[in-house]
Amino acid sequence: MSARRPEPLAQVSDFDIRLLKLFRSVVECGGFSAAESVLGIGRSAISQQMSDLEQRLGLRLCQRGRAGFALTEEGREVYQSTQQLLAALESFRTEVNGLHQHLRGELNIGLTDNLVTVPHMRITGALARLKERGPDVRVHIRMTPPSEVEQGVLDGRLHVGVVPMVGALSGLDYQPLYDERSLLYCAVGHPLFYVDDRELADDRLNAQDAIAPTFRLPPEIQTQYQVLNCTASASDREGMAFLILTGRYIGYLPDHYAAAWIKEGRLRALKADTRFYDLNLASVTRKGRRPHLVLESFLEELAASA
């Protein structure tokens, strides 16, 4: 006799939404144990509620046990659908709250890594003034690669992002924020660390092991990497810093990010007069977005700090 097929989900109740929020937290924390402190409940309670969700959906969402936590294929699809559902619910709540002209709800921001050290950073000031205008606003910041920031804004998981200006995607609005300069660095222990720039020939510099970024950059900046001997790669600036600080590689970093290591004597810039590039950073929002009082207020404060 064949197993009875689960009934389709007839409706999504408040209980289901609560279970889906728990599921999202477990996925983003990477497992039951890591989610305990975030959810404020014990592992056994989390396990029971996950089982309840799987039973209600008629799907196996994850593998758990000695091998660790891992989503099933169905679990990955349910996670994506959960993200969209919860974002839509939050958007509805924010729009209704906007009718009362009182700042309540969430602001989901996506940032590329290592922007907090920018001296003329405007995001922190805008967030401070937003908090003054709406003490009940909940701000959530995600540090993620630029392409994921743009995709998150497009599909509604993020309200606004800050990304390098590489190439505008259709469906998104970009507003310039500030520029940053990147220089070519090596660390103490590298053969070039004590070599005077006047004695450093370009062919010797270009022959050193260097780091290539795997994130998008404008074509005119990519030429700076094409002349280097890139034998390693990194998906973000922090990864590049890790490799440079080994003393075995050279690579580009934003000058504001490298400043602390420069002060400690651990990094030095190589031929700073010629080996540099400037990158424009911009805020990004979705075109044709629905009214969102919290987002519009944040964008107003961002513009006011220009």
Side-chain angles (χ1 to χ4, degrees):
M1 184 175 179
S2 60
R4 185 171 173 231
R5 192 168 175 170
E7 293 291 333
L9 192 63
Q11 62 182 9
V12 179
S13 66
D14 290 342
F15 181 63
D16 293 317
I17 292 172
R18 182 157 59 86
L19 293 178
L20 288 169
K21 286 182 177 180
L22 176 136
F23 172 56
R24 179 180 66 176
S25 295
V26 169
V27 173
E28 293 180 351
C29 290
F32 293 6
S33 298
E36 286 182 289
S37 59
V38 173
L39 294 170
I41 57 176
R43 183 172 177 175
S44 60
I46 294 173
S47 179
Q48 180 59 56
Q49 292 184 51
M50 282 291 295
S51 296
D52 290 344
L53 179 60
E54 289 178 326
Q55 185 174 359
R56 292 177 72 84
L57 297 179
L59 297 170
R60 182 72 167 171
L61 300 178
C62 61
Q63 305 291 342
R64 55 262 204 189
R66 293 182 179 179
F69 175 84
L71 286 176
T72 63
E73 185 62 35
E74 292 83 0
R76 283 190 287 271
E77 293 187 21
V78 170
Y79 174 67
Q80 293 298 325
S81 297
T82 298
Q83 293 281 71
Q84 295 171 15
L85 170 63
L86 297 180
L89 287 172
E90 179 56 34
S91 178
F92 171 78
R93 183 170 60 155
T94 303
E95 289 175 24
V96 172
N97 287 339
L99 297 176
H100 302 285
Q101 293 299 297
H102 179 69
L103 289 182
R104 288 194 297 261
E106 296 183 349
L107 180 65
N108 299 319
I109 306 174
L111 302 177
T112 54
D113 66 317
N114 307 125
L115 293 182
V116 73
T117 51
V118 177
H120 47 288
M121 165 102 88
R122 292 155 52 188
I123 299 170
T124 48
L127 287 173
R129 289 187 294 276
L130 178 69
K131 189 64 175 175
E132 291 175 3
R133 292 173 59 177
D136 296 330
V137 170
R138 296 185 304 281
V139 177
H140 305 287
I141 293 180
R142 294 192 179 190
M143 307 302 297
T144 187
S147 60
E148 294 184 18
V149 172
E150 291 170 315
Q151 185 56 49
V153 174
L154 275 173
D155 63 26
R157 288 180 290 115
L158 298 173
H159 298 123
V160 61
V162 176
V163 296
M165 282 291 291
V166 178
L169 299 182
S170 61
L172 295 177
D173 278 323
Y174 297 80
Q175 294 297 324
L177 285 179
Y178 39 69
D179 301 332
E180 66 174 15
R181 172 160 291 191
S182 290
L183 302 174
L184 186 61
Y185 293 97
C186 72
V188 64
H190 192 278
L192 300 184
F193 191 79
Y194 295 108
V195 177
D196 191 288
D197 280 349
R198 292 169 296 184
E199 300 174 2
L200 183 55
D202 283 337
D203 56 353
R204 183 182 179 189
L205 180 59
N206 295 340
Q208 304 299 312
D209 287 316
I211 310 154
T214 58
F215 48 88
R216 290 194 306 154
L217 287 170
E220 63 272 18
I221 292 178
Q222 292 177 12
T223 59
Q224 297 278 0
Y225 290 93
Q226 290 169 356
V227 299
L228 299 177
N229 178 35
C230 293
T231 59
S233 65
S235 63
D236 50 48
R237 278 96 66 92
E238 186 172 4
M240 301 185 85
F242 268 110
L243 288 169
I244 295 169
L245 289 167
T246 65
R248 299 296 181 267
Y249 299 90
I250 62 173
Y252 283 95
L253 291 175
D255 55 4
H256 60 83
Y257 182 45
W261 291 305
I262 291 287
K263 187 176 181 179
E264 294 173 0
R266 298 179 63 190
L267 287 184
R268 63 155 290 200
L270 300 165
K271 292 197 167 186
D273 292 340
T274 56
R275 296 298 180 107
F276 69 87
Y277 63 80
D278 295 321
L279 187 63
N280 301 317
L281 291 114
S283 64
V284 56
T285 53
R286 186 171 56 181
K287 290 181 179 177
R289 61 184 181 274
R290 294 181 178 181
H292 188 300
L293 187 59
V294 174
L295 173 58
E296 303 310 326
S297 300
F298 173 70
L299 294 177
E300 286 174 12
E301 297 298 345
L302 205 56
S305 63

